[in-house]
């Protein structure tokens, strides 16, 4: 998208720090990402944000919608779109904590951006939109080709490997592009409810985008995410059993080595003040970085070998294509 209408494509993204960033396009590619600020020169946040000076998350109410206090929320997704059909791009913001979709309206112009100092909530189905399962991505697109922009949302899922997973839902616009009125959610990719024996579909961390990769004139879904599955069980051979026992012994030795590194770190930091302890910790981590990384890499390789030998639960990340099978 061209956020500032200068003829170059920009990259807009949310961050785990709680603020949207933009990498402005230029003749040679893109510049380094910078925070998108409001018209008062302040960070755009929901209310939870990473405070670099305090090295901790802070909380503020200055961006809450006028007259409405929000549950603690953190912006991790962002998308630029013209939400009021006035010819310039506004910011749609996705809250990771509670699934709010927030609007930061551009009160300037297409080329001179001036984002409001407060967020607005988006409504769907007659109430404030709160998308369950930690929001990952949001897109404004005319999904059903009726001339009105609809809202597409994807989610992570509540738990990392098991339980409630992510989904993709459509909120159709029953109003206008200048004054959208979104209906209740319609599920496009539902939560996986049963175990898988192969990575047939994503079930955690569903990050979606839209396009027409098959060139048939309708919009399809591209969905990145993790698939968790357990291959059919089988009994290891005698040689595989010996190898598994050797790996278990190696794991035990790696745990001892890891514990010694941690104990040394604790001993070196004992009795130091906060500033000196932080300086010493960084110094020790740098000195032991290669050794520590080797331990981590070896443990991962051994764990992958165990997974192959035991047919234990697996995890992989792919990008899946969901073709639109609706009537054209």
């Amino acid at each position: 998208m061209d956020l500032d209408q200068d003829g170059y494509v920009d990259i807009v993204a949310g961050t785990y720090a709680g603020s949207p960033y933009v990498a402005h396009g230029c003749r040679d590619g893109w510049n380094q990402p910078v925070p998108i600020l409001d018209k008062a020169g302040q960070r755009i946040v929901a209310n939870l944000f990473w405070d670099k000076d305090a090295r901790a998350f802070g909380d503020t109410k200055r961006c809450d919608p006028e007259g409405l206090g929000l549950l603690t929320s953190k912006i991790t997704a962002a998308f630029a779109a013209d939400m009021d059909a006035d010819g310039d791009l506004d910011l749609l913001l996705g809250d990771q904590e509670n699934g709010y979709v927030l609007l930061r309206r551009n009160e300037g112009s297409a080329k001179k951006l001036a984002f409001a100092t407060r967020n607005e909530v988006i409504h769907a189905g007659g109430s404030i939109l709160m998308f369950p399962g930690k929001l990952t991505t949001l897109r404004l697109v005319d999904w059903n080709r009726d001339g009105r922009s609809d809202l597409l949302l994807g989610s992570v899922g509540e738990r990392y490997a098991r339980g409630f997973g992510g989904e993709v839902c459509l909120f159709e616009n029953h109003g206008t592009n200048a004054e959208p009125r979104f209906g209740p959610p319609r599920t496009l990719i539902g939560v996986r409810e049963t175990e898988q024996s192969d990575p047939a579909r994503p079930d955690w961390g569903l990050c979606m985008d839209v396009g027409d990769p098959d060139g048939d004139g309708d919009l399809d879904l591209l969905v990145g995410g993790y698939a968790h599955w357990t291959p059919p069980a089988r009994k290891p051979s005698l040689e595989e059993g010996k190898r598994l026992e050797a790996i278990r012994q190696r794991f035990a030795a790696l745990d001892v080595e890891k514990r010694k590194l941690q104990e040394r770190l604790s001993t070196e930091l004992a009795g130091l003040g906060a500033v000196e302890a932080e300086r010493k910790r960084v110094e020790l981590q740098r000195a032991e970085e290669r050794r520590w990384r080797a331990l981590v890499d070896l443990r991962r390789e051994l764990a992958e070998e165990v997974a192959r030998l035991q047919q234990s639960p697996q995890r992989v990340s792919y990008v899946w294509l969901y073709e639109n099978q609706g009537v054209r």
Side-chain angles (χ1 to χ4, degrees), residues 76-78 133-138 153-157 167 205-208:
T76 55
K134 299 188 184 298
L135 201 152
T136 58
T137 45
L138 60 174
L153 300 181
S155 67
V156 176
E167 59 184 330
L206 274 63
C207 296
M208 54 74 198

Side-chain angles (χ1 to χ4, degrees), residues 159-212:
R159 285 182 284 176
Y160 185 62
R162 296 292 181 266
F164 178 63
E167 59 184 330
V168 175
C169 287
L170 168 70
F171 296 80
E172 291 181 299
N173 182 4
H174 302 302
T176 65
N177 287 330
E179 296 183 3
R181 183 169 54 85
F182 298 111
R186 179 160 69 88
T187 301
L188 300 183
I189 301 175
V191 173
R192 179 176 64 82
E193 298 178 349
T194 58
E195 290 294 319
Q196 299 186 111
S197 58
D198 56 56
R201 53 153 290 168
D203 58 75
W204 189 88
L206 274 63
C207 296
M208 54 74 198
D209 209 339
V210 297
D212 186 13

Side-chain angles (χ1 to χ4, degrees), residues 102-240:
L102 304 171
L103 169 63
R104 189 62 73 103
R105 202 178 295 274
N106 181 5
E107 298 177 347
S109 64
K111 293 189 176 183
K112 190 173 181 180
L113 307 175
F115 293 106
T117 57
R118 288 184 177 269
N119 298 312
E120 301 175 33
V121 292
I122 297 295
H123 290 76
S127 60
I128 294 175
L129 200 165
M130 296 179 70
F131 194 56
K134 299 188 184 298
L135 201 152
T136 58
T137 45
L138 60 174
R139 295 289 184 268
L140 193 71
V141 61
D142 184 5
W143 178 261
N144 53 17
R145 299 186 299 175
D146 65 354
R148 295 173 291 191
S149 296
D150 309 301
L151 185 63
L152 277 170
L153 300 181
S155 67
V156 176
E158 291 292 352
R159 285 182 284 176
Y160 185 62
R162 296 292 181 266
F164 178 63
E167 59 184 330
V168 175
C169 287
L170 168 70
F171 296 80
E172 291 181 299
N173 182 4
H174 302 302
T176 65
N177 287 330
E179 296 183 3
R181 183 169 54 85
F182 298 111
R186 179 160 69 88
T187 301
L188 300 183
I189 301 175
V191 173
R192 179 176 64 82
E193 298 178 349
T194 58
E195 290 294 319
Q196 299 186 111
S197 58
D198 56 56
R201 53 153 290 168
D203 58 75
W204 189 88
L206 274 63
C207 296
M208 54 74 198
D209 209 339
V210 297
D212 186 13
D214 53 8
D216 64 354
D218 58 24
L219 293 177
D220 308 302
L221 283 177
L222 291 164
V223 183
Y226 286 102
H228 299 87
W229 83 100
T230 302
R234 68 176 182 84
K235 185 178 180 180
S237 68
L238 181 61
E239 290 301 317
E240 288 172 337

